[in-house]
Amino acid sequence: MRSPNEIFNEDRAMKTWVVVPAAGTGSRFGVGTPKQYHRLAGEPIIVRTLHRLLSLEPEAVVVAVHKADQRWQQMPLSRHPKIRTVHGGHERADSVRAAVASLAAEAGEDDWVLVHDVARPCVLISDIRRLIATLAGHPVGGILATPVSDTIKRVEPDSCQIRNTEDRTRLWSAQTPQLFRYAVLRKALASVDSSVTDEAGAVEKAGLTPLVVEGSRDNIKITRREDIAIATAIIEFQATQQGQTASDI
């Protein structure tokens, strides 16, 4: 039997590809400009997110944008040698599926695919590295997540009446990145419809069991305009912790 160190060393030889679904139109953001192009501490959200992911030195970063997006190709970062562009779909799953399919000629079955939301620009690189290290040797993959701290109520959708209080000790809030073997992810995505809201959900429906790795509450998803203020505060705090300014990270 191979030792854990042998498995880890073998796994490090696998390539890591990054997929960033960025085809959203920002309908919940409340402005005409898609949220990924809104400025956060002086930089567009998409630029902040991609700079963090590029620091991991992946094989390539595949960005899935809306086919009508005129802004992305005008950005200098779109021409970065490690960044590729594909057209996404109406739903997140469609965008991830298109990006993953674009790697078919290059990615090995056991290579890693790291999928990260463009609207999570505050993710800590240390959390991503811990996710990658924890999953070394794992046959499926896993996700960053945080334990739920709020009291969770199950509510009837029509009447808004509370039906139950959930046991939060078994509940986690899923984040991205989500990291899976290439063959596992591509097969899982091919067998589900576009209603699946994350890659782990697709993998679960395929009968496989991903792992959870605890992440940070810094890693918020920008969904509404008020989230910009929260994300700005997080960026500024992270910069202070690193002895930098917000524009440097």
Side-chain angles (χ1 to χ4, degrees):
M1 178 180 294
R2 293 178 300 162
S3 70
N5 283 339
E6 288 175 323
I7 295 173
F8 178 73
N9 288 333
E10 178 182 300
D11 207 59
R12 286 194 302 178
M14 302 301 169
K15 296 176 181 177
T16 299
W17 309 84
V18 174
V19 165
V20 181
T25 57
S27 58
R28 287 179 289 177
F29 200 63
V31 294
T33 301
K35 62 186 174 185
Q36 59 266 34
Y37 297 112
H38 193 95
R39 287 190 171 269
L40 171 63
E43 292 278 4
I45 290 170
I46 191 170
V47 170
R48 285 201 167 275
T49 300
L50 290 174
H51 275 160
R52 294 203 177 194
L53 296 173
L54 286 166
S55 73
L56 296 167
E57 299 185 353
E59 195 71 19
V61 178
V62 185
V63 183
V65 301
H66 194 280
K67 63 181 180 181
D69 188 335
Q70 299 296 315
R71 295 178 177 86
W72 171 238
Q73 296 297 345
Q74 296 174 10
M75 304 186 78
L77 191 58
S78 70
R79 296 183 288 280
H80 188 284
K82 285 204 169 186
I83 288 181
R84 307 174 186 182
T85 304
V86 299
H87 285 157
H90 290 293
E91 302 296 337
R92 173 203 168 83
D94 299 322
S95 295
V96 176
R97 191 180 293 116
V100 169
S102 74
L103 298 172
E106 301 169 88
E109 289 193 353
D110 288 331
D111 280 357
W112 288 109
V113 179
L114 186 145
V115 184
H116 186 61
D117 291 330
V118 72
R120 291 186 184 271
C122 303
V123 64
L124 293 171
I125 297 303
S126 58
D127 283 352
I128 302 178
R129 293 193 188 281
R130 188 171 66 257
L131 175 71
I132 293 170
T134 302
L135 293 174
H138 195 273
V140 178
I143 71 172
L144 284 180
T146 55
V148 169
S149 57
D150 294 328
T151 298
I152 303 297
K153 304 291 186 182
R154 185 178 297 277
V155 176
E156 290 294 333
D158 296 327
S159 66
C160 289
Q161 291 180 314
I162 295 174
R163 291 302 182 193
N164 189 41
T165 300
E166 300 293 330
D167 177 8
R168 69 184 180 192
T169 62
R170 302 181 64 182
L171 298 176
W172 289 62
S173 180
Q175 300 178 340
T176 66
Q178 303 200 353
L179 182 69
F180 293 100
R181 299 289 184 181
Y182 179 77
V184 167
L185 183 57
R186 188 171 188 189
K187 183 177 180 180
L189 290 171
S191 63
V192 296
D193 61 30
S194 299
S195 65
V196 172
T197 57
D198 74 346
E199 293 67 55
V203 171
E204 292 160 35
K205 286 181 180 293
L208 301 174
T209 306
L211 291 181
V212 161
V213 176
E214 186 166 357
S216 168
R217 298 188 189 280
D218 283 16
N219 190 14
I220 68 165
K221 184 177 181 181
I222 296 175
T223 303
R224 295 177 173 82
R225 292 191 70 183
E226 58 264 36
D227 295 332
I228 289 290
I230 300 170
T232 299
I234 291 171
I235 292 285
E236 291 174 350
F237 175 76
Q238 291 176 344
T240 300
Q241 294 294 100
Q242 297 174 30
Q244 298 176 304
T245 64
S247 61
D248 293 328
I249 67 170

